[in-house]
Amino acid sequence: MKFIKYLFLLLIVSSVGCNDDFLEYSPKTSLTENTAFVSYDNFKTYSWGLYGIFSNSQMRQYLGTGAQVYTHALGDVYANYLYMSSGTNVQNNHWQWNNITSTTNMDNAWDFSYMRKVNIMLRNIDGSQMSETDKKHWRAVGLFFRSHRYYDLLARYGDVPWLEDVVEDTDVDILYGKRTDRNTVANNILRDLKYAEENIKEKGEGGNTINRNVVRALLSRFCLFEGTWRKYHSLSDADTYLKECERASKLLIDTYPSIAVNFVDLWSSDDLSTVPGVILYKELAQDLEMSSLPRFERGGGQKASLHTRTVGRYLCQDGKPIATSELYEGAGANATVNDEFKNRDHRLYWRCVPPYKTNKGNGVAVTDANRDSWWTEGMDPKDRYYIDYMNSINDANHQFPLHTWQPQFLSRVPMIQTSSNSWGPMRNYGGYYFYMYYNTYNEPNIQAGGRFAVTDCPIFHIEEIMLNYAEVTYELGKFDQSVADLTINKLRARANVAAMNVSEINASFDPDRDPEVEAIAWEIRRERMVELLGEGFGFYDIRRWNRGEYYMNQRPLGVRVAASEKDDYFGNASIFVTTDDVNPNASVTTEDVGRVVCVGDFVQQGKGWQDYYNLNPIPKTQLILNEELEQNPGWDN
């Protein structure tokens, strides 16, 4: 059943319960907590409202609005995998620039109202007229949703108040009490998810609802996070969570032996019900709920971009990094963006628009007569190389040249902001334009005038679980060639990348890796970033690995522009890296000379990562309201 079809009849229930003794008897003609939770269907109806945690508005509430960027990608912006801009201004990463304080309230995440909604349902289960089996099922559903929310709070703040039951106005000791310690919160989440796994209906309430596999997917995600957090932050009991991640992940891999045929299917399909490996997704439909993201992407609103360091982490098609692959053509002062994209992992092409030029100006309307590539004839082969290449690896719905939302052809990529050839849509400051939703089959629904797309969004999918399994087996000392073949090599096969040969990976395999990370671990983490880029895992990942300093203290740079093309792009040499900019402390090397400086005031680096950034600050307003709350270490300064 589509959980976008929320029934709002019982939302009133979330506002009752604080004064249960206000009337001695329940009104006969009005819904109250005593009359609303009686039958199986009552609980089913109420539960639809809990799915709102997956809605865009709920995600914005917890992630912050940020710039005009995919809300779910903000975690990758904060991790410095991506950078973003809004309008004509580049927006600095607030974490990188030390602009986060306990008074900024940058994410609005210290919010426990959702817990109350879940707990109201949970406290009415025992008094209902359902069978014991049905009671266990709905308790499992409620515990899943509460665990999902608590996982996010734990990842942000560490210690947080644990609300086992509905909090009333008279519960002063809870309302103004201390935070619950991390061990207790994590143990409670694990306890609740294991109960849910054991007692939820195997298939839930039908297609695309919370079921046993969805619970296991959250177990896999949460336990990987908590287990590695404990390991890399020197806390006890890491193996308890790592082993649970291993168990749940393997069960899911056995259940979902196939992955989506095409990498792009997960984020540019209007029906994920037919895509292999999708465990739960947000379903959108015409006239019910639609998405503006594809239109932002194909217009001027979406300005998320990769930078040089992120692009450099994608392997070449021989399975080797750019520092050692003989296939890599992007090295050297004379190399251009066309060269560095040659022979790379296809997932790079499907997350960062490859370069091309056409012989037409911007704004040519898309018609049946000019959809074919005839109008690129006579172009320099290097200018149309990626048009032909992308059309050879894409289906008919993902063809090049790109179409804007009008729809019109986009004449060239990169479209660098303020350049002489910059035009309206799909431009950015560095040249590595980030895209996820591009397709043309739902084109009529992303025109001007308020019509948007119906592209579905995955919430849990087997590709994430496979990467969880690869990582957790490494952490448990079990990663070997058989695990690589079961996980990473399945993902690489559809991206035209040679299989990982575990025996070949040693300290010299990638001389550019994080020197604090063992070679195998680095390759597994690389694969995670490449496969999941844009899904927002990055910030939680670099925190749980305790490697924020490595990722954050790298200056984002843009594409390398050939000397002959610099005037064509800017006519201003000051925005390109020069030999005078080479400075190890600014993460700029001689290889970067000629690249566009894409962030900050076009030259700045950022102030760097602080160790206490591994946890968010408790909002100052909450500390004032509750004197029993203690600020997370480091944020008092």
Side-chain angles (χ1 to χ4, degrees):
M1 180 172 291
K2 299 177 181 179
F3 62 68
I4 59 170
K5 297 180 179 178
Y6 298 137
L7 300 178
F8 297 101
L9 180 63
L10 295 182
L11 290 184
I12 188 174
V13 175
S14 65
S15 65
V16 302
C18 294
N19 296 290
D20 290 339
D21 58 348
F22 182 72
L23 294 175
E24 184 176 355
Y25 300 103
S26 300
K28 295 182 179 180
T29 59
S30 301
L31 282 174
T32 69
E33 196 171 340
N34 290 336
T35 61
F37 293 103
V38 178
S39 68
Y40 186 98
D41 285 342
N42 292 153
F43 285 87
K44 182 177 180 179
T45 299
Y46 186 85
S47 73
W48 297 138
L50 300 179
Y51 283 83
I53 198 171
F54 302 126
S55 71
N56 285 339
S57 60
Q58 194 77 29
M59 292 172 70
R60 281 193 292 272
Q61 177 183 356
Y62 298 141
L63 292 177
T65 54
Q68 289 174 307
V69 63
Y70 303 138
T71 304
H72 52 71
L74 282 176
D76 295 325
V77 173
Y78 295 155
N80 201 28
Y81 295 171
L82 305 172
Y83 75 93
M84 61 186 178
S85 57
S86 178
T88 58
N89 297 312
V90 175
Q91 292 201 347
N92 292 318
N93 184 333
H94 294 304
W95 293 92
Q96 190 178 36
W97 283 84
N98 302 169
N99 291 331
I100 305 297
T101 71
S102 63
T103 60
T104 54
N105 196 27
M106 53 82 65
D107 59 12
N108 300 314
W110 188 270
D111 185 330
F112 296 84
S113 59
Y114 187 80
M115 307 307 184
R116 178 174 178 78
K117 292 179 182 179
V118 177
N119 285 339
I120 285 174
M121 185 181 85
L122 291 174
R123 80 171 175 185
N124 284 280
I125 290 175
D126 285 338
S128 71
Q129 297 176 1
M130 295 187 294
S131 68
E132 286 303 311
T133 298
D134 289 343
K135 288 179 179 179
K136 290 180 178 179
H137 168 72
W138 287 114
R139 185 173 290 109
V141 171
L143 292 177
F144 167 86
F145 282 116
R146 191 172 74 182
S147 297
H148 188 283
R149 180 72 185 101
Y150 260 120
Y151 157 55
D152 183 66
L153 287 166
L154 183 76
R156 293 174 186 273
Y157 300 106
D159 299 351
V160 290
W162 180 265
L163 307 180
E164 186 76 20
D165 302 301
V166 178
V167 178
E168 310 292 2
D169 290 344
T170 55
D171 295 327
V172 177
D173 57 330
I174 299 176
L175 291 170
Y176 299 98
K178 296 179 180 294
R179 292 191 284 166
T180 308
D181 67 274
R182 184 188 192 103
N183 283 339
T184 300
V185 175
N187 286 336
N188 287 349
I189 295 173
L190 182 58
R191 173 202 68 188
D192 289 349
L193 287 176
K194 292 179 73 172
Y195 177 94
E197 180 187 16
E198 293 170 2
N199 292 282
I200 199 167
K201 286 184 176 180
E202 183 177 0
K203 298 186 181 300
E205 294 304 305
N208 202 29
T209 60
I210 307 303
N211 56 36
R212 185 170 296 163
N213 288 331
V214 175
V215 174
R216 285 173 175 165
L218 183 55
L219 265 170
S220 172
R221 182 182 294 179
F222 162 68
C223 288
L224 177 67
F225 177 89
E226 186 62 16
T228 51
W229 177 281
R230 289 171 177 272
K231 177 175 180 177
Y232 292 106
H233 292 265
S234 302
L235 301 181
S236 63
D237 213 20
D239 278 6
T240 295
Y241 297 90
L242 296 176
K243 289 176 180 178
E244 276 299 314
C245 173
E246 178 189 26
R247 181 189 66 83
S249 300
K250 185 57 166 62
L251 287 171
L252 287 171
I253 291 172
D254 291 343
T255 303
Y256 295 89
S258 300
I259 62 175
V261 176
N262 299 310
F263 178 73
V264 292
D265 288 348
L266 282 174
W267 294 94
S268 60
S269 298
D270 61 353
D271 183 10
L272 286 179
S273 66
T274 62
V275 176
V278 175
I279 303 171
L280 185 72
Y281 63 98
K282 181 180 178 183
E283 186 173 358
L284 294 97
Q286 189 79 32
D287 301 324
L288 287 174
E289 186 174 4
M290 294 180 284
S291 171
S292 60
L293 297 179
R295 183 182 174 191
F296 281 155
E297 178 177 271
R298 294 168 64 179
Q302 193 287 105
K303 294 186 184 297
S305 311
L306 288 75
H307 59 81
T308 299
R309 309 305 178 211
T310 303
V311 171
R313 293 186 191 120
Y314 285 80
L315 296 172
C316 292
Q317 292 174 11
D318 58 4
K320 296 181 179 180
I322 62 174
T324 58
S325 173
E326 294 181 359
L327 296 181
Y328 185 60
E329 298 184 13
N334 295 321
T336 67
V337 62
N338 293 66
D339 299 321
E340 69 176 339
F341 270 74
K342 288 279 186 68
N343 307 318
R344 303 293 293 279
D345 185 326
H346 283 180
R347 288 169 293 188
L348 173 60
Y349 307 152
W350 290 322
R351 281 294 177 266
C352 183
V353 183
Y356 68 80
K357 291 181 185 178
T358 72
N359 60 13
K360 298 291 185 182
N362 285 311
V364 177
V366 177
T367 67
D368 291 339
N370 65 11
R371 285 180 183 273
D372 295 329
S373 61
W374 65 266
W375 53 282
T376 64
E377 291 180 0
M379 295 296 295
D380 188 321
K382 72 178 180 63
D383 291 331
R384 63 169 294 163
Y385 176 85
Y386 291 102
I387 295 177
D388 296 333
Y389 192 90
M390 293 304 290
N391 290 341
S392 73
I393 67 173
N394 283 338
D395 59 31
N397 297 315
H398 301 87
Q399 294 290 286
F400 277 51
L402 298 184
H403 299 175
T404 68
W405 57 264
Q406 281 88 346
Q408 297 174 345
F409 282 120
L410 189 67
S411 69
R412 60 186 289 162
V413 173
M415 295 280 284
I416 301 179
Q417 188 88 23
T418 74
S419 74
S420 58
N421 280 294
S422 178
W423 168 75
M426 304 174 81
R427 59 179 174 166
N428 60 10
Y429 279 90
Y432 295 119
Y433 190 82
F434 173 73
Y435 73 141
M436 286 180 69
Y437 288 98
Y438 180 79
N439 62 67
T440 58
Y441 58 68
N442 60 13
E443 196 167 83
N445 293 323
I446 55 174
Q447 308 303 303
R451 288 181 293 166
F452 300 99
V454 293
T455 305
D456 292 344
C457 300
I459 298 169
F460 294 104
H461 55 91
I462 197 62
E463 289 86 349
E464 177 205 344
I465 306 304
M466 293 164 71
L467 292 164
N468 293 350
Y469 186 66
E471 185 175 345
V472 79
T473 53
Y474 166 80
E475 300 296 351
L476 292 171
K478 300 179 181 180
F479 185 81
D480 58 16
Q481 190 62 49
S482 66
V483 176
D485 291 340
L486 184 65
T487 58
I488 289 172
N489 288 339
K490 281 190 175 182
L491 303 177
R492 287 189 179 187
R494 70 177 181 186
N496 200 35
V497 181
M500 173 187 284
N501 186 335
V502 177
S503 64
E504 292 181 352
I505 300 174
N506 53 35
S508 61
F509 186 78
D510 184 2
D512 293 335
R513 81 173 195 277
D514 180 350
E516 299 296 320
V517 176
E518 197 269 339
I520 291 287
W522 177 254
E523 294 307 313
I524 294 171
R525 294 178 185 183
R526 182 207 303 274
E527 203 72 27
R528 181 177 181 86
M529 187 218 76
V530 166
E531 182 72 24
L532 302 180
L533 185 70
E535 299 189 39
F537 291 101
F539 197 47
Y540 285 178
D541 285 346
I542 69 173
R543 285 169 132 184
R544 65 186 175 87
W545 297 329
N546 204 11
R547 295 303 301 144
E549 180 179 7
Y550 174 81
Y551 288 93
M552 200 65 72
N553 294 358
Q554 294 180 345
R555 184 169 76 172
L557 300 172
V559 301
R560 181 183 284 111
V561 177
S564 60
E565 295 182 326
K566 287 185 178 181
D567 289 341
D568 186 32
Y569 278 108
F570 281 95
N572 179 0
S574 66
I575 54 78
F576 297 100
V577 175
T578 68
T579 54
D580 293 336
D581 297 316
V582 175
N583 182 344
N585 294 328
S587 300
V588 177
T589 70
T590 54
E591 280 291 317
D592 297 319
V593 172
R595 291 193 179 278
V596 175
V597 182
C598 61
V599 168
D601 195 16
F602 288 114
V603 294
Q604 299 175 5
Q605 159 69 18
K607 298 180 181 179
W609 180 258
Q610 307 297 320
D611 287 342
Y612 57 86
Y613 278 3
N614 281 314
L615 293 173
N616 287 26
I618 308 301
K620 186 72 172 180
T621 53
Q622 298 300 317
L623 298 174
I624 294 172
L625 289 171
N626 181 4
E627 295 181 353
E628 291 297 316
L629 290 179
E630 295 182 4
Q631 184 58 275
N632 276 325
W635 288 104
D636 285 332
N637 297 326

